[in-house]
């Protein structure tokens, strides 16, 4: 089990437990979490799964994937150095405890 | 070795359900729901002796196999022919029919060209065209919605979006039919579609040349990547060909199927009219409910397994997206068409690294079409039986007689 905490724009924290191999997006969708849309189902075509990785987890989540940068340009909220497409962050034991922050809007 | 449908015959592992069916029989292609249900009932994996292929149709396993590009490759073709053993009918697509790392490079160019941001730029074109078309059709009242609406819209807007300078709508639609029938077996459908190849293929290839495209469309964006060295000029032309292969017939089908769903379910049409925020979810439900691309395949690139059953290298696996989108395990009441279902996770656009790169265009077109309809149309009434047009990969209508009644 890998624990992920999603912090909504208004500060609400939701803790979910996923399996290694799930993505931060798919875990949120599977649990009906508001704040991540994931319209393209993780094919990196929509940017509606935008999140900001907590400072403490930057190193563990690593660099953006090939092509992620381009698609982030279509995100509706501000893209910062912490921005990731949550469908491109794959859970592993090393990410147990991960904290991500969600933007105000996805579409 | 004697090939079956251009691929290596296999012996299924012990315990795999053997099911004697022809998934490409026209009766099944016209009305696939029972076939979908029976396929799922076979278990996680079935073997179909007629074509010596494996098939999956339950939601979880279909999604898993279809997106598992490590074990199940696309470079050997997404149809029955194994490109490693037999030459394909046309040079393979350099995005659909390739694996990583080649795929990553071309995919990046295409996803940049078809990003939500770029597609928003076409919104005005899509909306104006949809408004005008619906106005015209309302004047006529009773229409044959496949030709008059479903084909008319994409063949008007999509060539403009690509930047094509001369357009032959018939060729565009027929080329799509050819590409999609070609992923099936060597049956009458495929042969009939291929009969037109001599005329259409040269026209398509010529239409992809740089000097036949305007400077401001999707085609030009792809050719710009040839300028900066990401692609060769020839590769850019091949990617423009991918727009034409995959971007017309699919959205024609999407629009036709949407009109079918809404004309068959007046209550859902009312619900949509009452709440325009359901336009996008309604299209997702049309996709789930009708799976415009009903089946694509993969090839086991190495000895591997599906649901615990050993699968030998070279096995062709039919991934029946239509069956997965109708799996009650996943959807509860899949046979009910509900515009507010929000069927996140449907596989109508595929999944994983090959997941439809044109989905933003498709959504943009449907948003415009459905938007125009709910603003201008009171009722969509069937005036005759809907007739389906069998195709080896696409579930599309042949004829849809309806009457549009204005507000
Ligand atoms: C309702 C409309 C559409 C449906 C149902 C649809 C369906 C699909 C599916 C199922 C795949 C996955 C193929 C695979 O994994 O083997 C796919 C891929 C693809 N689609 Fe679409 N599509 C649609 C519209 C479009 C449009 C409008 C375009 C072009 C603008 C397009 C271009 C492509 C391309 C180039 C690929 C290959 C992507 C890759 O291999 O990385 N599609 N589509
Ligand atoms: S879910 Fe679409 S880009 Fe992540």
């Amino acid at each position: 089990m890998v624990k992920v905490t999603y912090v909504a724009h208004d500060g609400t924290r939701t803790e979910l437990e996923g399996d290694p191999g799930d993505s931060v997006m798919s875990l949120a969708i599977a649990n009906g979490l508001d704040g991540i849309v994931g319209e393209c189902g993780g094919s990196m075509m929509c940017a509606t799964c935008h999140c900001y990785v907590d400072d403490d987890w930057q190193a563990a989540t690593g660099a953006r994937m090939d092509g992620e940068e381009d698609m982030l340009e279509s995100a509706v909220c501000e893209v910062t150095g912490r921005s990731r497409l949550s469908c491109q962050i794959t859970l592993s034991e090393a990410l147990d405890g991960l904290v991500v922050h969600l933007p105000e809007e996805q579409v | 070795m004697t090939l079956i449908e251009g691929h290596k015959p296999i012996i299924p592992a012990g315990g795999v359900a053997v099911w004697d069916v022809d998934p490409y029989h026209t009766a099944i292609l016209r009305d696939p729901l029972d076939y979908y249900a029976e396929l799922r009932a076979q278990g996680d994996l079935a073997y179909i002796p007629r074509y010596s292929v494996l098939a999956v149709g339950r939601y979880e396993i279909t999604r898993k196999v279809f997106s598992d590009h490590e074990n199940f490759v696309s470079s050997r073709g997404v149809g029955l022919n194994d490109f490693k053993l037999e030459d394909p009918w046309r040079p393979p697509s350099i995005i659909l029919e390739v694996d990583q790392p080649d795929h990553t490079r071309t995919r990046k160019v295409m996803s940049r060209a078809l990003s939500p941001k770029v597609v928003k730029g076409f919104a005005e074109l899509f909306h104006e065209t949809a408004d005008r078309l619906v106005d015209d059709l309302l004047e006529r009242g009773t229409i044959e919605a496949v030709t008059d609406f479903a084909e008319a819209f994409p063949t008007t807007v999509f060539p403009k979006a690509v930047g094509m300078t001369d357009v032959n709508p018939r060729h565009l639609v027929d080329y799509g039919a050819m590409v999609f029938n070609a992923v099936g077996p060597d049956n009458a459908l495929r042969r009939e579609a291929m009969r037109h190849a001599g005329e259409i293929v040269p026209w398509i290839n010529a239409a992809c040349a740089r000097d036949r495209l305007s400077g401001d469309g999707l085609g030009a964006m792809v050719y710009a990547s040839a300028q900066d060295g990401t692609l060769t000029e020839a590769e850019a032309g091949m990617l423009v060909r991918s727009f034409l292969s995959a971007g017309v017939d699919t959205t024609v089908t999407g629009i036709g199927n949407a009109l079918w769903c809404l004309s068959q379910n007046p209550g859902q049409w009312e619900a949509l009219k009452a709440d325009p925020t359901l336009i996008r979810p309604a299209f997702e439900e049309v996709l789930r409910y009708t799976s415009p691309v009903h089946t694509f395949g993969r090839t086991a690139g190495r000895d591997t397994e599906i649901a615990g059953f050993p699968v030998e290298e070279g096995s062709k696996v039919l991934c029946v997206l239509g069956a997965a989108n109708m799996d009650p395990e996943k959807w509860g009441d899949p046979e009910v068409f509900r515009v507010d279902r929000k069927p996140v996770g449907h596989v109508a656009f595929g999944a994983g690294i090959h997941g439809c790169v044109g989905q933003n265009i498709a959504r943009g077109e449907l948003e415009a079409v459905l938007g125009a309809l709910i603003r201008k149309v009171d009722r969509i009434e069937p005036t005759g039986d809907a007739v389906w047009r069998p195709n080896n990969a696409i579930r599309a209508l042949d004829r849809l007689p309806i009457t549009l009644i204005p507000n």
Side-chain angles (χ1 to χ4, degrees):
Chain A
M1 280 300 184
V2 185
K3 258 197 213 112
V4 182
T5 302
Y6 300 80
V7 186
H9 189 70
D10 68 3
T12 314
R13 298 171 78 88
T14 309
E15 205 177 275
L16 298 174
E17 284 191 353
D19 294 315
D22 290 347
S23 74
V24 171
M25 181 279 288
S26 67
L27 177 63
I29 299 294
N31 289 278
L33 184 81
D34 284 338
I36 291 187
V37 176
E39 189 169 51
C40 78
S43 293
M44 217 160 50
M45 275 317 302
C46 71
T48 66
C49 64
H50 181 199
C51 74
Y52 306 100
V53 172
D54 194 83
D55 286 333
D56 294 343
W57 290 92
Q58 290 292 325
T61 47
R64 291 174 185 161
M65 305 294 277
D66 216 357
E68 196 175 331
E69 202 100 10
D70 286 336
M71 200 48 59
L72 273 169
E73 283 179 24
S74 291
V76 292
C77 285
E78 189 198 0
V79 175
T80 71
R82 306 189 305 159
S83 287
R84 291 292 309 269
L85 295 174
S86 59
C87 65
Q88 301 301 313
I89 306 173
T90 307
L91 298 184
S92 65
E93 299 299 345
L95 291 184
D96 191 20
L98 174 66
V99 179
V100 297
H101 303 262
L102 303 182
E104 190 171 4
E105 287 175 312
Q106 295 284 11
V107 284
Chain B
M1 175 176 41
T2 314
L3 304 181
I4 295 188
E5 297 296 346
H7 68 86
K8 184 178 89 168
I10 54 164
I11 296 164
V16 175
V18 176
W19 186 28
D20 186 16
V21 66
D22 179 4
Y24 299 99
H25 193 287
T26 50
I28 288 179
L29 295 173
R30 279 204 185 89
D31 183 7
L33 291 188
D34 290 345
Y35 157 73
Y36 291 164
E38 281 174 54
L39 172 61
R40 289 189 308 263
Q42 301 292 323
D44 275 332
L45 184 64
Y47 173 72
I48 298 175
R50 186 184 177 101
Y51 301 120
S52 198
V53 291
L54 298 168
V56 292
R58 291 184 176 179
Y59 176 81
E60 290 296 340
I61 197 74
T62 304
R63 188 180 174 96
K64 183 158 183 271
V65 171
F66 204 55
S67 56
D68 179 1
H69 57 270
E70 306 273 338
N71 290 306
F72 297 100
V73 301
S74 291
S75 56
R76 293 165 74 166
V78 298
L80 292 179
N81 302 128
D82 185 343
F83 294 178
K84 205 172 152 184
L85 304 178
E86 214 176 64
D87 281 341
W89 69 280
R90 61 168 197 175
S93 160
I94 61 169
I95 177 163
L96 178 70
E97 293 157 337
V98 289
D99 303 321
Q100 286 177 332
D102 303 336
H103 176 258
T104 315
R105 187 171 56 97
T106 50
R107 170 88 185 186
K108 240 160 71 182
V109 171
M110 291 289 265
S111 53
R112 207 180 298 146
L114 296 165
S115 73
K117 207 161 131 187
V118 173
V119 171
K120 276 197 192 109
F122 294 122
E124 208 176 290
L125 167 69
F126 291 176
H127 282 283
E128 278 173 6
T129 310
D131 282 358
R132 229 177 310 121
L133 180 60
V134 171
D135 285 341
D136 286 352
L137 295 176
L138 275 171
E139 268 176 33
R140 291 166 50 187
T142 298
I143 60 168
E144 196 292 283
V146 173
T147 320
D148 298 343
F149 199 158
E151 289 186 359
F153 184 77
T155 55
T156 305
V157 295
F158 193 61
K160 282 193 188 139
V162 172
M164 296 176 78
T165 46
D166 65 317
V167 180
N168 181 329
R170 200 65 256 152
H171 279 0
L172 285 173
V173 172
D174 290 346
Y175 186 61
M178 192 183 298
V179 168
F180 287 106
N181 271 315
V183 303
D186 182 22
N187 57 9
L189 289 171
R190 180 174 157 146
R191 275 185 231 145
E192 171 57 25
M194 285 299 170
R195 245 172 17 91
H196 308 287
E199 186 190 350
I200 299 172
V201 173
W203 184 86
I204 292 284
N205 289 338
C208 297
R210 185 200 281 267
D211 60 6
R212 295 274 293 275
L213 298 163
S214 69
D216 56 358
L218 298 173
M221 289 180 70
V222 170
Y223 272 105
S225 299
Q227 219 97 50
D228 69 21
T230 318
L231 300 172
T232 66
E233 187 92 0
E235 286 175 326
M238 290 288 285
L239 288 178
V240 174
R241 192 193 69 174
S242 291
F243 287 141
L244 306 188
S245 314
V248 181
D249 223 30
T250 47
T251 47
V252 168
T253 306
I255 294 170
N257 291 7
L259 290 166
W260 177 71
C261 290
L262 294 168
S263 62
Q264 296 291 314
N265 297 277
Q268 292 304 300
W269 163 249
E270 291 300 327
L272 178 61
K273 268 198 313 178
D275 183 359
T277 67
L278 290 176
I279 289 179
R280 280 173 92 89
F283 178 46
E284 300 303 313
E285 177 69 345
V286 168
L287 290 168
R288 181 199 69 79
Y289 191 71
T290 64
S291 300
V293 173
H294 60 76
T295 308
F296 264 171
R298 292 287 189 260
T299 315
R302 48 169 97 130
D303 287 340
T304 174
E305 56 86 30
I306 294 176
F309 296 109
V311 168
E312 62 182 277
E313 184 276 335
S315 301
K316 280 284 177 183
V317 188
L318 302 184
C319 298
V320 186
L321 307 176
N325 282 337
M326 278 283 169
D327 187 349
E329 284 277 312
K330 167 72 182 174
W331 308 105
D333 56 353
E335 70 295 340
V336 184
F337 174 77
R338 269 210 329 263
V339 292
D340 65 350
R341 182 187 295 270
K342 307 197 170 137
V344 182
H346 72 70
V347 285
F349 283 132
I353 64 164
H354 289 280
C356 184
V357 78
Q359 54 186 279
N360 298 312
I361 293 274
R363 291 198 177 97
E365 287 190 23
L366 264 292
E367 192 169 8
V369 164
L370 295 177
L373 281 171
I374 65 170
R375 267 179 283 114
K376 295 169 185 285
V377 175
D378 182 43
R379 276 171 295 144
I380 307 174
E381 290 183 348
T383 46
D385 287 338
V387 179
W388 295 88
R389 181 187 301 169
N391 179 294
N392 290 327
I394 296 272
R395 183 167 181 232
L397 289 154
D398 189 50
R399 281 197 305 282
L400 182 67
I402 54 173
T403 302
L404 299 179
I405 296 155
N407 271 330

